[in-house]
Amino acid sequence: MEHRDNDDEDNIFSTGSIFANRELVRIGHVPELSRIVGRDNEVRALGQALGPATIGGPPETTTIYGKTGTGKSLVARCVTREAKLEAERNDVAFQFAYVDCSDYRTDAQASREMAHSLASNLNINGDVPQSGLAAADYRDITWKTLKYNNVNSFVVILDEIDTLDDDELLRSLSRAKESGKASAYIGVICISNKVEFRDRLNERLNSSLQDKELIFDPYDAGQLREILNSRADAFEEDVLEEEVIPKVAALAARAHGDARKAIDTLYEAGRLAETAREQTVTSTHVDEAVERAAINRFQSLIEGTTPHVKYILHALAVLTVETPKTDVFRTHRIYNVYSNFADEDGAEPLSEERVYRLLKEQSFLGITESNHTGGGRGEGSYLEHRLLQDPEIVLQALGRAKTD
Ligand SMILES: Nc1ncnc2c1ncn2[C@@H]1O[C@H](COP(=O)(O)OP(=O)(O)O)[C@@H](O)[C@H]1O
Ligand SMILES: [Mg+2]
């Protein structure tokens, strides 16, 4: 709980009166199993896979696929944590390791992290060398740790496994028991954000490692509403206006079905209310939070581009806003506006040919779309360009909005 009497205007650290427990809506927070909503079947299926390990038998290996923000990491971690508690109640030595392969991409890094995570779950930190060992040596540390601690069953969560450089770790996990290297039963939970990865994984895994497969679908508005409602106690009582959570849920369901982004939008809306020193979070804050997120995304998209690309996008955005009848423009028309902007900024305009090529590149990045049009008789064909983003967002991101 955050301390309450902290909304004094004169206090530079003042946090206002919006949040009661901000942690609940921050990224990285792993809620309790009881706060997981809308994934009952998946929780149960994973529970069944780990069930045997809670009574000293071999866990089933499971693969989870689904887009980002569909609860894969959360469900895997919570159910595994719960399995360990269940095993404790049965006097069974159950251990697990969590490896986010997107942080540890090579075989050696991932194998070290597995040893590390196991050691830290056993409270024997400090036994794993930070570097210098080969992958196989790090794995030997794991096998030894399991043995010295009389572990019956060991579950390894390999999150974002599609970012792992090779399959050595997976292969050795699947063989460790039968080859006599490890004494414990070993199970793996493989998680991938890419459903396309499935064929490759199936090819690479030996069939004994493919007990179970779960697909996590994007959340619908109802599920997102439940997820957000279960975190509403992040806010002080009566601070969230009634329409806020349904609105965030509806927008998120329409755009992506990603719970992480939905929670983040709710948090940002709260922060906007807090910064403005308002007493409630309203649907206007939600609109603003969504718009800010779009601006931020666009800004990072154009971060590395040259000033000329920015003049071009500025020109196209202005044309789009100021021309009511159409949103497609020929290169030449964009070029004229672009040249003015470059001039105003004291930059020598590039050739029209170069601008034409830059526009085609932006279409490659998904910022604009370029199409050939027939033109009239004797006119030849032209390339026409359209901005794929909301022009107001583009202007804001470029720092060119009128309200700035
Ligand atoms: N069913 C759910 N109930 C409660 N919170 C959820 C649920 N699904 C996802 N979340 C939250 O949304 C965020 C993203 O979930 P995560 O498991 O990391 O997604 P993924 O691994 O599929 O990308 C996390 O903060 C998580 O706590
Ligand atoms: Mg994840």
Side-chain angles (χ1 to χ4, degrees):
M1 275 286 176
E2 293 177 22
H3 267 296
R4 283 303 323 112
D5 47 10
N6 197 16
D7 51 1
D8 169 4
E9 293 254 359
D10 295 333
N11 180 354
I12 59 163
F13 300 115
S14 164
T15 53
S17 51
I18 294 292
F19 291 104
N21 190 359
R22 177 182 319 251
E23 147 98 344
L24 290 176
V25 280
R26 290 314 311 274
I27 304 286
H29 171 72
V30 181
E32 299 294 306
L33 191 59
S34 63
R35 276 190 191 259
I36 300 183
V37 292
R39 285 288 183 234
D40 294 354
N41 293 338
E42 291 79 1
V43 165
R44 192 167 305 275
L46 200 55
Q48 295 292 303
L50 300 189
T54 65
I55 51 170
E60 287 182 355
T61 281
T62 307
T63 317
I64 303 178
Y65 301 100
K67 295 218 167 88
T68 54
T70 54
K72 302 181 300 298
S73 303
L74 172 69
V75 167
R77 296 178 86 147
C78 277
V79 174
T80 308
R81 195 166 63 186
E82 204 64 29
K84 185 176 171 177
L85 295 175
E86 176 72 12
E88 267 166 25
R89 288 190 284 269
N90 299 331
D91 270 331
V92 167
F94 174 107
Q95 282 302 331
F96 68 94
Y98 175 84
V99 181
D100 184 345
C101 302
S102 65
D103 287 333
Y104 306 98
R105 288 169 186 252
T106 68
D107 188 20
Q109 288 169 343
S111 299
R112 183 190 61 202
E113 183 56 19
M114 174 173 74
H116 215 82
S117 173
L118 172 62
S120 102
N121 285 339
L122 281 160
N123 287 319
I124 47 171
N125 247 332
D127 280 6
V128 185
Q130 273 308 311
S131 60
L133 298 188
D137 298 330
Y138 281 118
R139 289 197 287 271
D140 283 341
I141 294 178
T142 298
W143 314 145
K144 283 192 187 120
T145 308
L146 293 172
K147 194 164 177 188
Y148 291 152
N149 291 278
N150 294 314
V151 173
N152 297 115
S153 307
F154 179 50
V155 171
V156 185
I157 304 173
L158 295 178
D159 206 345
E160 315 232 351
I161 189 172
D162 46 291
T163 57
L164 202 55
D165 283 352
D166 64 44
D167 325 326
E168 231 8 84
L169 175 56
L170 204 48
R171 261 203 295 269
S172 68
L173 282 170
S174 66
R175 283 191 315 236
K177 173 90 172 159
E178 59 188 29
S179 70
K181 282 195 171 134
S183 48
Y185 289 116
I186 296 181
V188 189
I189 301 175
C190 302
I191 306 178
S192 170
N193 288 332
K194 301 199 177 96
V195 183
E196 317 87 83
F197 191 68
R198 186 174 164 200
D199 293 339
R200 219 176 104 205
L201 198 62
N202 279 340
E203 237 169 64
R204 303 200 296 183
L205 280 174
N206 91 39
S207 57
S208 70
L209 249 179
Q210 300 170 62
D211 293 328
K212 201 169 240 161
E213 198 174 83
L214 299 174
I215 310 270
F216 283 38
D217 291 323
Y219 291 115
D220 63 27
Q223 290 169 318
L224 289 168
R225 221 180 305 132
E226 266 191 86
I227 291 171
L228 295 173
N229 274 330
S230 82
R231 311 231 178 160
D233 45 346
F235 294 86
E236 289 290 347
E237 226 169 292
D238 298 328
V239 157
L240 281 184
E241 292 204 344
E242 211 175 305
E243 72 274 17
V244 167
I245 283 182
K247 178 161 183 170
V248 173
L251 290 172
R254 202 176 324 138
H256 42 66
D258 180 328
R260 183 183 294 107
K261 287 190 184 145
I263 293 169
D264 204 39
T265 303
L266 186 62
Y267 173 61
E268 288 304 329
R271 283 217 333 171
L272 289 167
E274 181 175 63
T275 311
R277 300 195 159 281
E278 282 158 33
Q279 301 307 309
T280 56
V281 184
T282 66
S283 90
T284 314
H285 293 126
V286 175
D287 288 332
E288 210 178 313
V290 169
E291 187 179 309
R292 295 246 173 136
I295 293 169
N296 286 344
R297 262 199 310 280
F298 192 77
Q299 269 170 343
S300 44
L301 204 60
I302 60 169
E303 208 166 44
T305 61
T306 66
H308 290 281
V309 169
K310 295 187 177 112
Y311 305 142
I312 294 170
L313 292 173
H314 184 197
L316 188 51
V318 166
L319 280 168
T320 308
V321 171
E322 291 179 354
T323 319
K325 284 199 216 86
T326 180
D327 62 352
V328 294
F329 304 95
R330 289 182 184 173
T331 312
H332 186 66
R333 188 142 175 226
I334 299 168
Y335 184 75
N336 288 339
V337 182
Y338 151 82
S339 312
N340 286 338
F341 288 153
D343 275 338
E344 272 171 23
D345 217 36
E348 178 76 17
L350 304 170
S351 70
E352 189 164 331
E353 170 65 19
R354 183 86 187 96
V355 167
Y356 166 86
R357 265 187 274 131
L358 284 172
L359 272 164
K360 281 179 94 171
E361 273 173 36
Q362 300 320 302
S363 119
F364 184 69
L365 286 177
I367 296 176
T368 65
E369 180 184 71
S370 305
N371 282 310
H372 276 288
T373 100
R377 179 190 287 268
E379 265 188 64
S381 92
Y382 292 89
L383 203 57
E384 288 190 325
H385 314 275
R386 177 209 311 269
L387 198 56
L388 291 175
Q389 318 265 342
D390 178 345
E392 298 293 348
I393 301 277
V394 174
L395 293 174
Q396 295 256 12
L398 290 167
R400 306 286 187 161
K402 290 210 177 71
T403 52
D404 267 16

